[in-house]
Amino acid sequence: MYSKIKCVTPVALLDVIDNIGPDFEQDTGHRLELSIMLNPEVPAFINSGAKWSLAASNPWHLEEIPATARGPIQPIGRSPLAFAALVEGGPAVCDEAGILDVLRRSKRIGVTGVGTSGETFARLLDRLKMKDEVRDRVMPLKGGEPIRQLLKGKVDLAVLPLTNILPIRGVRPIVICPWSFDVHIDLALCCHPKASADVHIFTDWLLSSDRDEALEALGLFRI
């Protein structure tokens, strides 16, 4: 019998699930029902009593769900912080000098105002000692808006996890921050303690090494 799997999905993973989820649905007949929100909103949503089967977020946010109300936290992977632009060709910049140059040339920088990527970008600016220099050019936006505003031409740079850039047609990453900068976004999942066998079938499918290549192509790398 087929079932609906209620997934609490952060914006950082939405484009990944949109790309690979149909394969799971076609293979199994089960359907993924997504509740989409920013990473910091996930624990409050669950702790409010909302119905859910599986939740994904940063591991530290999943830890805000009482241990008695969830199963074990399992890592999915991590995505580097990246900058997207409406340009063609050329490799992404991955070194400090190149990142500084991109920031200094950008006039309008869109970033999620309240979310993990926004906090991570602030850490990057601290590392680069660029916070004061770019302060007036940073536009805090709602979840999902940096890429939308980029596509509309309202910003010339969108700062996001790579998972929100690679799946989108018409944009490309011009900066991918190196792992050594420690500005990546870790993502994990947990299941409801009474989750059905179908939910665990999906988590096993998602965490299987068979997904590694597809996930890397979408900007998510196994830890």
Side-chain angles (χ1 to χ4, degrees), residues 109-181:
I109 304 169
V111 63
T112 306
V114 181
T116 304
S117 59
E119 296 170 357
T120 306
F121 181 55
R123 292 208 324 268
L124 175 65
L125 294 179
D126 283 338
R127 176 191 176 95
L128 300 175
K129 297 179 173 57
M130 285 284 290
K131 184 169 287 188
D132 291 339
E133 187 173 340
V134 303
R135 188 189 308 275
D136 294 338
R137 291 181 277 134
V138 174
M139 297 176 60
L141 301 167
K142 294 180 180 180
E145 282 301 307
I147 206 76
R148 293 191 189 101
Q149 296 305 311
L150 177 66
L151 291 168
K152 292 177 180 179
K154 302 295 185 180
V155 299
D156 54 342
L157 201 67
V159 180
L160 296 161
L162 191 59
T163 49
N164 290 138
I165 298 173
L166 288 184
I168 307 300
R169 292 183 179 180
V171 304
R172 77 172 184 88
I174 63 170
V175 165
I176 299 177
C177 295
W179 301 119
S180 61
F181 277 25

Side-chain angles (χ1 to χ4, degrees), residues 184-215:
H184 48 266
I185 290 85
D186 284 332
L187 293 162
L189 62 79
C190 64
C191 296
H192 191 283
K194 296 182 179 179
S196 68
D198 299 333
V199 176
H200 293 288
I201 288 172
F202 176 60
T203 60
D204 289 345
W205 181 89
L206 179 62
L207 299 177
S208 168
S209 59
D210 292 343
R211 308 283 88 72
D212 289 1
E213 186 175 344
L215 292 177

Side-chain angles (χ1 to χ4, degrees), residues 37-144:
M37 60 201 69
L38 294 174
N39 278 302
E41 297 170 341
V42 170
F45 177 80
I46 289 174
N47 293 336
S48 71
K51 292 183 178 181
W52 66 288
S53 303
L54 178 151
S57 185
N58 311 122
W60 53 92
H61 286 309
L62 295 180
E63 288 171 359
E64 296 175 31
I65 304 167
T68 54
R70 58 164 171 80
I73 296 172
Q74 304 178 75
I76 304 172
R78 59 179 38 152
S79 184
L81 190 70
F83 302 173
L86 297 176
V87 294
E88 296 182 0
V93 169
C94 299
D95 63 286
E96 184 168 323
I99 296 171
L100 287 169
D101 180 61
V102 170
L103 286 171
R104 285 170 177 149
R105 288 188 290 106
S106 299
K107 297 178 180 179
R108 295 163 299 176
I109 304 169
V111 63
T112 306
V114 181
T116 304
S117 59
E119 296 170 357
T120 306
F121 181 55
R123 292 208 324 268
L124 175 65
L125 294 179
D126 283 338
R127 176 191 176 95
L128 300 175
K129 297 179 173 57
M130 285 284 290
K131 184 169 287 188
D132 291 339
E133 187 173 340
V134 303
R135 188 189 308 275
D136 294 338
R137 291 181 277 134
V138 174
M139 297 176 60
L141 301 167
K142 294 180 180 180

